[in-house]
Amino acid sequence: MFLDPLLRNGKGLFLAYDHGFEHGPADFNEQNVDPSFIMDIAVRGGYTGVILHYGVASKYYDGKVPLILKLNGKTNLVQGDPISLQVSTVEEAVSLGAKAVGYTIYPGSIHEHIMFQEFANIRREAHERGFGVLLWSYPRGQMIKNELTKEIVAYAARLALELGADGTKIKYTGDTESFKWAVKSAGKVKVFMSGGPKASTEIEFLKQVQGVMDAGGSGVAVGRNVWQSRDPLKMSEALRKIVLDGYRVEEIARSFADRD
Ligand code: FBP
């Protein structure tokens, strides 16, 4: 299975750090603006993969954690239906020693067909080279009124199956029952939760992660809720326990209770 180098017991814990491209430095503070800070969390936090763009990877990636190279990106400086196109290649992923490539589609955008085609070409090349492909599937655009409904999230997940992805990164619907439908719709595609903006409390975020795992998800691909945390390594440990080691959130809640 193409994603095996990024999984432990079939589960994945990915640290995302492509935000400098997507949002600019607005998400960062004095510490986490430095990619070296993130590399350290990725290693010491026990992540099974780290997600970077080419520029950061080529200057900071040291091979200690499997790399997922994000191949497309857009800024949030443009209005209207989103389109995100390729800014690096599978070949460049190979040259950096990546273990998989990532790509975002925006189903519902008037430009969706362009991203579908570009992704299909990437998937073809990646699989020929034995690489896994992880698909960020984020319904967006004027037709999408609420990107978090059960139906829309499940549609996003299903597209990952239809397009030939090995794993997909989708938003959480908010509860286990509705997320189960997304996992089911994705079939054999591994489903990872996209973290989203920092949750109101750390325990709140960990409960979402538990909900994903209870729904049959394969893990998380998370950024802000880790490296914006007061203690990124403590948050990483909690994630590791829930996602990789099968602990229940209730078992680790106590150590977070007096922090929120
Ligand atoms: P977070 O866990 O911080 O939400 O990261 C997930 C992610 O998909 C990043 O990979 C990406 O940069 C960002 O969210 C995109 O966010 P959005 O398109 O929702 O603004």
Side-chain angles (χ1 to χ4, degrees):
M1 146 81 170
F2 287 117
L3 287 184
D4 281 351
L6 292 150
L7 304 176
R8 196 186 310 153
N9 299 326
K11 303 290 190 282
L13 185 61
F14 306 141
L15 187 61
Y17 190 64
D18 55 338
H19 305 65
F21 200 137
E22 300 292 325
H23 303 154
D27 290 340
F28 302 149
N29 61 24
E30 289 287 335
Q31 268 190 319
N32 58 37
V33 71
D34 179 359
S36 308
F37 179 76
I38 305 300
M39 293 305 123
D40 187 56
I41 296 171
V43 176
R44 294 206 289 148
Y47 286 83
T48 64
V50 61
I51 297 161
L52 305 171
H53 269 288
Y54 178 84
V56 171
S58 64
K59 291 182 173 60
Y60 294 88
Y61 179 63
D62 57 11
K64 290 184 182 157
V65 172
L67 172 65
I68 301 165
L69 192 72
K70 186 75 199 304
L71 297 192
N72 67 335
K74 66 160 189 55
T75 72
N76 62 8
L77 303 173
V78 182
Q79 301 245 304
D81 277 29
I83 178 164
S84 180
L85 294 181
Q86 212 175 335
V87 291
S88 50
T89 64
V90 175
E91 184 73 47
E92 285 167 331
V94 173
S95 74
L96 289 168
K99 293 285 185 276
V101 292
Y103 189 94
T104 304
I105 55 167
Y106 296 105
S109 164
I110 55 169
H111 309 295
E112 63 170 26
H113 57 293
I114 303 173
M115 293 171 278
F116 294 164
Q117 283 181 352
E118 194 169 71
F119 174 75
N121 289 331
I122 285 168
R123 186 257 303 143
R124 217 165 280 128
E125 185 182 352
H127 283 173
E128 271 167 22
R129 289 169 175 269
F131 263 65
V133 284
L134 191 59
L135 184 70
W136 281 229
S137 191
Y138 292 173
R140 298 267 165 89
Q142 55 188 331
M143 295 305 292
I144 308 295
K145 303 298 174 221
N146 179 355
E147 59 179 284
L148 301 181
T149 66
K150 175 182 175 182
E151 292 73 22
I152 290 290
V153 174
Y155 201 160
R158 184 66 185 200
L159 277 168
L161 175 61
E162 304 289 346
L163 284 166
D166 303 296
T168 188
K169 184 170 189 276
I170 56 175
K171 305 278 179 182
Y172 189 48
T173 50
D175 66 272
T176 306
E177 279 314 305
S178 57
F179 201 73
K180 271 184 189 165
W181 182 233
V183 173
K184 187 118 188 153
S185 301
K188 290 183 179 176
V189 175
K190 299 258 178 196
V191 171
F192 303 94
M193 180 186 83
S194 174
K198 194 153 173 275
S200 51
T201 66
E202 291 176 323
I203 199 69
E204 182 51 43
F205 178 65
L206 293 173
K207 283 180 182 166
Q208 290 174 21
V209 175
Q210 184 70 67
V212 169
M213 302 314 288
D214 289 347
S218 296
V220 294
V222 56
R224 289 165 286 185
N225 277 284
V226 171
W227 41 257
Q228 288 180 351
S229 159
R230 274 173 293 175
D231 188 343
L233 289 180
K234 189 171 168 63
M235 175 54 92
S236 302
E237 185 188 355
L239 289 174
R240 219 166 53 231
K241 283 183 168 169
I242 296 173
V243 173
L244 301 180
D245 300 334
Y247 282 70
R248 303 278 322 161
V249 63
E250 298 79 21
E251 297 175 75
I252 49 181
R254 182 183 290 270
S255 62
F256 282 88
D258 50 356
R259 294 157 49 91
D260 291 333

